[in-house]
Amino acid sequence: MKKSLIKTAAVFSAAVISVYGCFGSFAGCAAETEQKEVTIAFDFGADLSEIEPWYGTDGELTDMTKFESYTVEKGSVTGIPVGAFKREGYVFSGWTPDDFYGYYCGETYNVPADYEGDTITFKAVWHDPRDDRSTYYTYNVVMDGEPIERPAWLKDAVLTPGMIYEPNYASIKIDGASSYGLTDGERNYYIGTKLVVTEEDREFTPIWKREIKITYFAGDVDRLNGNTSVTFTKMEDGRDELATSDRFSRNGFNLVGWVSDMDGKTYKTGETITMPGHDVTFTAVWEPKTYVVVFKTGNGGANKKVSGVTDTAIVCPDPEHTVNGMSFVGWKDDEGVIYPAGSEYTIKGALPGSGISLQGVWIEGELPPETSEPSTDEPVKVSLLGDANCDGKLTIADSTAILQSLGNPDKYGLSAQGMINADCCDPGNGVLPSDALSIQKIDAKIIPVLPEITK
């Protein structure tokens, strides 16, 4: 007896602790007791003695045990077992959980996540083939209130109450629009949706979705590689991803988003959106890249690195390196422009996947007077060895200028500074055809820098 009393007291104490624990955290206890499962049951609508299992779509005789109740999680997807049945005087069509929507054996069913009950019962749908009642399901093909020519394959249906019917969801296409589903004015129905036929007639009208043009525009910007715009055809209300960051290519910039002319909002690249009912243009949002510009000193000197952002200026470093018998002129970019140490270099960006580097330029002896004290106010305006036409660049045009001046000095003579710049092969020998040849070698990347010393 004492043991029983002790056990009873222990159970009572545990219950008290449990109850008071709930009061201490009421919300927590409510969450713990919330029912997350639901029972799926099947009601044949007749005494099972009247039901004879028959061969299902899988060719097997129906196993009645598959239609016993089972439990699933709310919000999950469950499958209706495959099967077929015979009942004297009736034809079996399928199942319905609500007397409105119908399901065939073998189909799936989405269990509502917010279902408040504890059981979902699928009732068997039977109809009597001798029933002389008729229900009419008709199709009214109109768009914006205007009639559209009805396709020959779209037929009205005369049905018997108690059967399951799937409306004809085949898409109707007209200029600039297609049908996606049907409506009876109260509900919308989409492909795969079936209805339990009642005595109520129904008229279905197509749900139209218009074709729209979605245009991607790179914007009124420079340094673009390839196309500036591209247009695609999409369907109204469709869910689709916006173009990714590689849709357009621009030197020195990353594509980070799209501005819509529909609502003025900025969307991320690759973001999924619902397509509007009209044409829309998305304009690229560009963000400047950060570069580590490499200054290649050459002649045994260490490379220098300076970080900067596209369209901003950085200061060209001092090479901090000397070479006996030579003078440092400056840093040459890929266009042949030389920037003296201490001058500003504006980062223009590079092709995607490429970096930016400038090559150190050295000459034998002392710098000419024009370049011995370069101005940092106009860094590009410096004497450039080989720049015969004095345009601030070293190109094949300088080779042409030298050859023309040699052939007809009266008409094509070089300026005094041009003569100094042109003497780039074995400096000190004056302007010769060999100077034009050295410039051609630079253009063909046969030699890296000027002057070219051949002796």
Side-chain angles (χ1 to χ4, degrees), residues 88-370:
E88 187 176 353
Y90 292 91
V91 175
F92 173 75
S93 291
W95 302 91
T96 179
D98 53 13
D99 296 319
F100 189 87
Y101 294 105
Y103 295 85
Y104 294 150
C105 284
E107 291 191 319
T108 57
Y109 175 75
N110 295 315
V111 181
D114 57 353
Y115 187 74
E116 296 181 355
D118 56 9
T119 303
I120 296 176
T121 300
F122 284 88
K123 294 188 294 184
V125 179
W126 305 91
H127 73 273
D128 184 349
R130 297 165 299 180
D131 192 339
D132 59 1
R133 294 175 300 167
S134 296
T135 298
Y136 296 89
Y137 279 12
T138 57
Y139 298 89
N140 182 24
V141 185
V142 297
M143 181 178 184
D144 297 331
E146 296 295 327
I148 304 296
E149 183 178 356
R150 178 169 165 164
W153 48 261
L154 185 59
K155 307 293 186 181
D156 294 334
V158 181
L159 309 167
T160 300
M163 65 187 302
I164 291 177
Y165 173 74
E166 180 177 358
N168 193 335
Y169 295 107
S171 181
I172 303 171
K173 299 184 182 297
I174 60 174
D175 290 342
S178 299
S179 65
Y180 282 79
L182 301 166
T183 180
D184 60 8
E186 295 182 6
R187 294 181 177 89
N188 292 340
Y189 308 99
Y190 298 97
I191 187 168
T193 303
K194 303 168 190 66
L195 305 175
V196 177
V197 179
T198 64
E199 294 185 29
E200 179 185 0
D201 295 338
R202 292 185 183 278
E203 182 181 77
F204 296 105
T205 300
I207 298 172
W208 297 101
K209 291 187 179 180
R210 291 172 171 80
E211 294 180 355
I212 66 164
K213 302 294 184 182
I214 179 170
T215 299
Y216 294 101
F217 176 47
D220 295 319
V221 294
D222 57 3
R223 287 164 279 183
L224 286 171
N225 304 304
N227 294 334
T228 60
S229 67
V230 62
T231 299
F232 299 97
T233 299
K234 301 291 183 180
M235 296 307 299
E236 175 185 8
D237 290 334
R239 297 283 290 171
D240 209 340
E241 294 180 354
L242 293 177
T244 56
S245 58
D246 60 356
R247 168 48 58 191
F248 298 117
S249 170
R250 183 185 178 196
N251 295 351
F253 293 86
N254 291 317
L255 203 169
V256 297
W258 302 101
V259 176
S260 167
D261 68 351
M262 173 182 62
D263 53 19
K265 293 181 179 179
T266 299
Y267 296 84
K268 297 178 182 178
T269 57
E271 182 175 346
T272 300
I273 68 167
T274 300
M275 294 298 156
H278 51 78
D279 297 347
V280 59
T281 297
F282 289 94
T283 301
V285 177
W286 298 100
E287 183 179 88
K289 292 182 179 180
T290 297
Y291 288 94
V292 176
V293 181
V294 179
F295 293 84
K296 300 179 178 180
T297 304
N299 286 317
N303 291 344
K304 306 294 180 181
K305 296 181 180 180
V306 181
S307 296
V309 177
T310 303
D311 287 340
T312 63
I314 59 175
V315 177
C316 296
D318 190 296
E320 299 179 352
H321 176 66
T322 59
V323 179
N324 289 334
M326 301 191 74
S327 297
F328 181 76
V329 177
W331 307 98
K332 182 176 68 172
D333 67 8
D334 57 2
E335 294 182 350
V337 180
I338 295 179
Y339 296 80
S343 66
E344 289 189 344
Y345 170 75
T346 299
I347 299 174
K348 301 176 182 178
L351 286 169
S354 302
I356 300 176
S357 63
L358 284 80
Q359 181 68 52
V361 178
W362 300 79
I363 62 172
E364 290 189 350
E366 298 294 327
L367 290 177
E370 292 79 6

Side-chain angles (χ1 to χ4, degrees), residues 12-58:
F12 178 77
S13 298
V16 171
I17 292 172
S18 176
V19 170
Y20 276 92
C22 273
F23 283 128
S25 179
F26 183 78
C29 285
E32 290 176 3
T33 59
E34 181 182 353
Q35 187 172 346
K36 298 181 180 179
E37 295 182 337
V38 63
T39 298
I40 303 296
F42 296 91
D43 179 4
F44 283 88
D47 193 291
L48 289 182
S49 62
E50 302 177 18
I51 308 299
E52 179 184 352
W54 199 241
Y55 293 91
T57 55
D58 58 356

